[in-house]
Amino acid sequence: MNVDDVVNEQIAAAERRRRAQRDRRAALAEARQHGLRQRHATKLVRIGRTEQVGARLALAALDRDSHTIAAMLSTVDPQQARQAAAVALGALAELGLTARPSNVTKTRDALLLMERSAHQDDDPPPAA
């Protein structure tokens, strides 16, 4: 073997190592992206459910139905209850700030639409 053959062999070995490293990085990046998509989908489902509970809470508050509010808050975990209550309070605060009769109707209609969407979105999104 002459020197040129040894150098060419070393260059080829270095290229194989670079290619293998690039392939490992690409596989890791793909796995990371898959995990991110799964976490984001799960988070969107959780946020959607919290907003739907908040909409129902706000509707019950508008109807002055304390029994429904208590029952709903007792069925969810404390963290989700706080988040749902924050959504409901935000909707009711907005309603209080813009208390013309047409705004009350629009807010109630929006809350009803959010509540109805709960029944359509009960299934989690398919895994990507």
Side-chain angles (χ1 to χ4, degrees):
M1 232 186 210
N2 66 22
V3 173
D4 289 336
D5 292 338
V6 172
V7 169
N8 286 336
E9 184 64 34
Q10 289 175 346
I11 291 171
E15 180 60 31
R16 284 191 300 272
R17 286 191 302 271
R18 278 193 298 272
R19 199 171 317 129
Q21 180 66 22
R22 185 181 59 231
D23 292 345
R24 281 192 299 273
R25 281 194 303 263
L28 181 60
E30 176 59 32
R32 185 180 299 121
Q33 285 301 314
H34 177 72
L36 283 173
R37 284 190 295 269
Q38 288 297 103
R39 285 191 296 278
H40 289 173
T42 302
K43 182 177 181 179
L44 289 175
V45 168
R46 188 185 75 245
I47 289 171
R49 287 184 182 146
T50 299
E51 288 182 353
Q52 291 159 357
V53 170
R56 283 184 237 137
L57 282 173
L59 281 171
L62 285 173
D63 293 337
R64 297 178 188 257
D65 185 358
S66 60
H67 297 292
T68 300
I69 293 171
M72 287 176 61
L73 290 176
S74 69
T75 62
V76 295
D77 66 85
Q79 181 64 29
Q80 186 182 15
R82 282 192 294 276
Q83 292 171 346
V87 169
L89 287 173
L92 294 172
E94 182 67 25
L95 182 61
L97 292 173
T98 58
R100 291 181 294 188
S102 63
N103 288 338
V104 172
T105 303
K106 288 177 189 175
T107 302
R108 182 180 286 276
D109 291 345
L111 290 170
L112 286 170
L113 184 62
M114 284 176 69
E115 182 182 17
R116 285 186 199 124
S117 73
H119 303 295
Q120 297 169 357
D121 298 333
D122 280 341
D123 297 327

